Amino acid sequence: MRYLAATTAREAAEALAAEAGVTRVLAGGTDVLVQMKAGLVEPDLVVDIKKIPGIATITPEAGGFRIGAAVANAVLGEHEGVRALWPGVVEGANLIGSTQVQGRCTMAGNLCNASPAGDAAPGLVAANAVARIAGPEGERDCPVADIPAGPGKTTLKKGEVITSILLPARPARASDAYLRFIPRTEMDIAVASAAVSLELDADGTVKAARVVLGAVAPTVVVAEDAGRTLVGTKLDEATLAKMAKACEAVCKPIDDKRGTVAFRTKTAGTLAKRAALIAYARAGGAK
Amino acid sequence: MKSIPVSTTINGDACEFLCAPDETLLDALRNRLGLTGAKEGCGTGDCGACSVTLNGRLVCSCLVLGVEAEGAEITTIEGMADGDELHPLQRHFIDHAALQCGVCTPGILVAAKALLEKNPEPSDEEVRYWLAGNLCRCTGYDKIIRAVQAAAAEMRGA
Amino acid sequence: MSLDEYRKREFKQVGQRVRRPDGVDKVTGRAMYGADATAPGMLVGRILRSPHAHARIRGIDTSAAEALKGVKAVLTGADLPAQEDDFIRDVQDNCMARDKALYDGHAVAAVAAVDAATARAALKLIKVDYEVLPHVTDVDVAIKPGAPVVQKGRSLENVPAGMSENVTSHCEFGHGDPAAGFARADHVVERHFRTAATHQGYIEPHAALASVTSDGKAELWCCTQGQFFVRTLCAAIMGMEASQLRVTASEIGGGFGGKTTVFIEPVALALSRKAGRPVKIVMTRDEVFRATGPTVHTSTDVKIGMTKDGRITAAEAHLRYSGGAFPCGTVDMGAQAAFAAYDLEHVRTYGWNVLTNRPKEAAYRAPGAPQSIYAVESVVDELCQHFGLDPIDVRLKNAARKGTKSSYGPTFPDIGLIATLEAAKKHPHYSAPLQPGQGRGISCGFWFNFGGNSCVSLNINTDGTVGVTEGNPDIGGSRASISLMAAEELGIEYDRVRTIVADTSSLGYNDVTDGSRVTFAVGLATIKAAREAVRVMCGRAAKIWGIDAEAVEWKDGAAVPAGPNAGKFPPMSLAEIAAVSFETGGPIAGHHEVNVDGAGVSFGVHIVDVEVDKETGQTTVLRYTVFQDAGKAVHPSYVEGQMQGGAVQGIGWALNEEYIYGADGRLQNPGFLDYRVPVASDLPMIDTVILEIPNPGHPYGVRGVGETGIVPPLAAISNAVSRSAGIRLSELPMSPPRVLKALGG
């Protein structure tokens, strides 16, 4: 294995493109090193992107924030501005692993690891976040929702590296929330998860809603019907129950050591209900 | 696989070592530098026994490559006491019987110290969530929480 | 050992919460554990493991691995000797498969190489020709005729005809006529229970460093609960004499019973012998889960009859335990422990051990008891609910006490169950109000506790300090406890005593650190060794004073004349006698070597409050209190630590921990990510109440305390869940999907 600490995104992209063997991008390393330890991957080239100038910074941009691909989630969690604007995104990112893992892991890494259960992905998708990607042929922007292609697979092409993620601006009276279910209180992979992002009218009626579910399909799922159910309501119980059913309808989970189809399906709806209420309160909706 | 020279700072002392590109910082500390206080309990970031700080951040050294230590500042359990003088956390862990087998203890102490530097007056719940990535199979955590709180109180008073 | 051993006394040292002698080493990272040792020219050993649950090994081609540069030795089962003795052969075959791989993770070959990368590469070059066989991993399937047979010809004669050949042994305990007893009951409950296999989950993986030299001598450094037993096993497997193999126990990073046998130690020795260099093997976490000893997994039927006023009229249990791919006696202990807490006229337990394609069971804290007592305590609770009776009152009404003929045979001497139940009943926790949706459960627990072979050598240093040499790895603070008992008996301060754990060449045989035996049995040997040293010191004082040795007695750490007729001499302290020992006959020491009997059983009662989230099936433990009889708490903090640690392991077992096997017979969760031990944020404080009902078989009244604490949580939490959510689960763990399913979700 060769190790390269790239000093520009271009250098990283070119090195990755030129390598004929197995490559891995190293940001926090909390997935790559685990896979190496387990013998699941034996890279010929590892490109460390943390030495690229600016890649570990958070920058305000157009009313939102651009999060560098090497910003550790612990650093993200300490950023007052991002926390205020996108609290659900930050709480998802901050649920990954332990305090120790938080000191290293990144949202971009979580996205590229492409686990259906990644805790950062639902919040980012609910936020309509956009990834900036450097490649051998230059830069491009891509909605985060289009990055995962299936368990362990992304739509990134050979040589492409995510360099930052843009969390967009949002109006007043808008917020988001993320919840996952795990058997313990910490240290588990999500068995099911839900992110809800809401925009409210002045009177507290939901104007726009996006509901995204994790760990219930090969990739995160945007529950379009569930989101539509919430619009025009103040999250009364009947609406929430209907929304939960709409969530259940889009779940296509698997039975495995972490949960059953029935459990994941039911729990995704439950979590979406609970997350919606949290997002609603955060957005200033009074219940 | 060609080894790579690494220059770093460990517990305040400049330090150089050679390591393979795929070697973890934990292996480099233990096998190349004789710093065996950090333990490998799992090698996958699930137990926290290998906790160290890297540029002031608490990390699992099993999830860091040795080559990433280049130019970094690392602290380990071996640097926690000031010579003969134990850190208050170390003292309170002994006094409160907060260790039994002791194999998780270095990682827990390093993690607890990082917590108290960030938050000198944590609630029990904050201590428990901060340390959730440090498995202890002997104590049931009760005496660990008490020891951390006793040390925190002493450090606030000092 | 006579049962009048205990004498009431005032303690000066025992009962103090002193600092442990290994404390500073352990908080500074200096303590040396299994993986921390190195040797000159050391090689890295690694093991190739079967990916199949059950497969015949038709052949192993190691030639490519041997040819790889940097590989110094390759080992297969063919390199190890044929063994006559069943027990040794099973241990050896578990360390390295011979003809068949019996479970996913079973070792089939090993290499020693100059570094880890080369060793890993060499493993990939070993070609094993497997004939995959049908497998069975579930006890209820394996017991049926027609199930795949794991090992042929292992059934004992007492196994009834018509069962699968996987059934290796049968046991039966009890007395009276259960049928007559059930006929007198107002209500009989019969339920079926299952418990998953769990793992001890010690944080330190197994590690061994072996060095065999060409003159036939060997050194072995390893993390173990018993270096002497390691020597016995390794000497047999290696064909060595005990005197030639010195085993040193490192500091041990947790064991809980799981480090009472060998897995990699003989492999490291055999590789070292073959390579002519020291070899270190350190298991990965994945190997620990796949190839060391988890517990049995079990299937149990319990039937109990009760009168409407809460008297148990009869009780019966059928226990089917599987200890994996090898014969296992744990079901006997489960069968004996099942009804130990009750004074019963009619009781019977039946047990069967069943082979499955799983790793060979190793002891885990009160082996066999948590599973059977979980089932019994669940049914007792259901009967309490049926009649609307208080669960502690019902247990008090039926509690075993002094003079009770136990369900497993012996008649109990002084035991602490009633005192423990009464303490629980009057504790504020038991009467504290619960919020809607919360539930409170209780359960009794029991463990026999063991004694066993123990040697202690106690040396009086000329400066008045004392060195105690004992042979049991310190797993929970025993060096401090042993020092306390030596100091107590000698009448000196704790910090004048230092206790060390000796290697196998420095002391006679000591049984493994297990069975909650060390503070009891090694403590007893220490007290006797101290008394021997006192006898010598009294003799030295007598010599100095010119009086008969019988005219000198030991009081408050000094020799004094025994009464006015002995003469008038000022007391001579231990330090004063030690200082002149070279002039009075030479160094002073005391020894004691004994196979200790008289262990006192220990009962515990746990109270737990939980809340079940009815939408997700998640159970939160809100409050927890442990009551346990320690006999005498030598170091109360470490006694509390045992009670708390045991309780939390039981909580993990009750809620989330389990071995999950796929249809392919492979272990699905061999890591701490998906084998879910409790983390700090899962738990409340674990309150403790120590009771001290002296064990008549120990000079200070000590009982073991290490194991009982893991027994009650399983049923206590199940009973609390039943009262919180209105559902009674009969399978552990009570993981959220199972609870939600039971709730109809």
Side-chain angles (χ1 to χ4, degrees), chain A residues 42 182-185 258 274, chain C residues 124 615 674 677 681-682:
Chain A
E42 291 181 31
I182 54 171
R184 292 180 290 189
T185 51
R258 293 176 186 144
R274 293 178 181 184
Chain C
K124 288 189 181 162
E615 284 187 319
D674 287 303
V677 306
S681 48
D682 293 342

Side-chain angles (χ1 to χ4, degrees), chain A residues 42 181-189 257-259 263 266-267 270 273-274, chain C residues 124 613 615-616 618 656 660 668 672-674 676-677 679 681-682 736-737 740:
Chain A
E42 291 181 31
F181 182 83
I182 54 171
R184 292 180 290 189
T185 51
E186 274 284 354
M187 302 306 293
D188 290 326
I189 304 290
K257 61 194 171 189
R258 293 176 186 144
F263 181 80
K266 174 96 193 306
T267 305
T270 300
K273 267 193 317 196
R274 293 178 181 184
Chain C
K124 288 189 181 162
D613 181 336
E615 284 187 319
T616 64
Q618 187 161 43
N656 281 309
I660 304 169
Q668 304 272 300
F672 279 135
L673 183 62
D674 287 303
R676 303 183 187 95
V677 306
V679 301
S681 48
D682 293 342
L740 194 63

Side-chain angles (χ1 to χ4, degrees), chain A residues 94-122:
Chain A
N94 284 168
L95 281 173
I96 298 168
S98 60
T99 315
Q100 286 85 339
V101 167
Q102 282 288 309
R104 297 271 294 169
C105 70
T106 64
M107 290 201 297
N110 193 241
L111 207 54
C112 292
N113 190 50
S115 159
D119 287 308

Side-chain angles (χ1 to χ4, degrees), chain C residues 438-639:
Chain C
Q438 299 177 349
R440 177 168 297 148
I442 74 136
S443 172
C444 293
F446 161 85
W447 186 242
F448 309 93
N449 296 330
F450 297 160
N453 293 295
S454 307
C455 297
V456 168
S457 186
L458 183 150
N459 295 297
I460 310 289
N461 302 319
T462 53
D463 64 353
T465 62
V466 172
V468 178
T469 305
E470 48 104 356
N472 277 94
D474 178 350
I475 207 157
S478 57
R479 275 168 293 195
S481 301
I482 288 164
S483 291
L484 279 167
M485 288 185 273
E488 184 74 45
E489 199 63 30
L490 294 168
I492 59 176
E493 292 296 318
Y494 163 77
D495 58 14
R496 310 286 282 175
V497 183
R498 181 167 181 194
T499 298
I500 64 120
V501 179
D503 63 64
T504 55
S505 296
S506 307
L507 205 62
Y509 191 89
N510 284 271
D511 279 331
V512 174
T513 296
D514 70 359
S516 299
R517 70 172 219 94
V518 174
T519 306
F520 164 70
V522 179
L524 182 142
T526 302
I527 292 165
K528 297 285 174 83
R531 287 178 184 172
E532 173 62 13
V534 161
R535 192 187 60 75
V536 175
M537 289 189 285
C538 287
R540 299 295 176 88
K543 196 171 177 184
I544 291 165
W545 292 333
I547 64 175
D548 285 348
E550 292 73 42
V552 179
E553 64 181 18
W554 194 258
K555 214 174 158 188
D556 296 333
V560 293
N565 295 339
K568 245 182 120 64
F569 302 100
M572 267 193 98
S573 70
L574 180 147
E576 288 166 336
I577 294 168
V580 298
S581 59
F582 292 178
E583 288 87 54
T584 59
I588 299 170
H591 300 268
H592 198 74
E593 293 82 27
V594 61
N595 188 350
V596 183
D597 206 347
V601 301
S602 173
F603 287 95
V605 176
H606 292 195
I607 307 176
V608 59
D609 298 348
V610 307
E611 180 158 11
V612 177
D613 181 336
K614 292 198 177 93
E615 284 187 319
T616 64
Q618 187 161 43
T619 301
T620 303
V621 178
L622 303 167
R623 184 173 179 182
Y624 207 102
T625 310
V626 178
F627 305 81
Q628 193 177 318
D629 173 17
K632 173 68 196 172
V634 175
H635 191 304
S637 297
Y638 300 157
V639 171

